[in-house]
Amino acid sequence: MSRIRARFWDPAGKRYGIPTYPWRMGPAHLLTRRQLTARGLRPGGQGVQAQILWASRRHGAPGVRAAYLYDVRFALPKRTATPAQREALAKANAARRTCPDCRRDAGYVLPRHLGTCLDCAQTPTDLKEVA
Ligand SMILES: [Zn+2]
């Protein structure tokens, strides 16, 4: 094992507080949230079980980066929304797209700082009264 890898080799978590592995050296049952999602799973209430640490050479953001791992054995199937939940969600999204001034569905989520659709925001108040 190279010295750089040994720096992040801490399966017992003595140095880092939680079990820590170098890049590509984590045990097979520990997965990132993204890897769980790819298998149709979610962490399911368990906390972070371990981490992968690696030295990032990315331009502008050098330093040690971490990926948090969850135990696939404690993972649960991804929740699927019930029809009622989906309906409520659709309603909430529609409300976020509906302009309170012209009452139209703008087709996009209204910018919060405007509170109206872009058309209404751009119409000067005196013209709006005529229209
Ligand atoms: Zn509007």
Side-chain angles (χ1 to χ4, degrees):
M1 200 188 311
S2 75
R3 219 181 311 153
I4 292 186
R5 294 212 150 182
R7 179 181 161 202
F8 298 136
W9 179 256
D10 182 21
K14 280 182 188 154
R15 246 176 306 159
Y16 295 103
I18 55 173
T20 299
Y21 304 92
W23 185 248
R24 285 176 187 278
M25 295 188 68
H29 67 277
L30 295 176
L31 300 176
T32 64
R33 194 178 277 268
R34 193 180 288 246
Q35 288 169 329
L36 286 179
T37 302
R39 298 186 187 191
L41 299 170
R42 62 192 166 94
Q46 68 176 301
V48 170
Q49 303 291 326
Q51 64 183 349
I52 299 276
L53 290 183
W54 72 97
S56 169
R57 270 157 281 160
R58 204 171 62 171
H59 183 72
V64 174
R65 314 220 336 131
Y68 299 114
L69 303 177
Y70 301 89
D71 194 322
V72 73
R73 292 168 301 188
F74 303 140
L76 297 175
K78 234 187 296 183
R79 267 196 213 103
T80 46
T82 66
Q85 283 173 326
R86 272 200 298 272
E87 197 186 330
L89 215 68
K91 252 187 211 166
N93 283 330
R96 290 170 67 204
R97 291 192 314 258
T98 304
C99 174
D101 281 10
C102 63
R103 301 256 148 222
R104 283 180 308 188
D105 185 332
Y108 49 82
V109 173
L110 303 176
R112 251 213 229 133
H113 68 282
L114 295 175
T116 64
C117 70
L118 295 177
D119 286 346
C120 288
Q122 272 167 11
T123 311
T125 317
D126 50 342
L127 281 181
K128 219 191 278 184
E129 279 161 12
V130 177

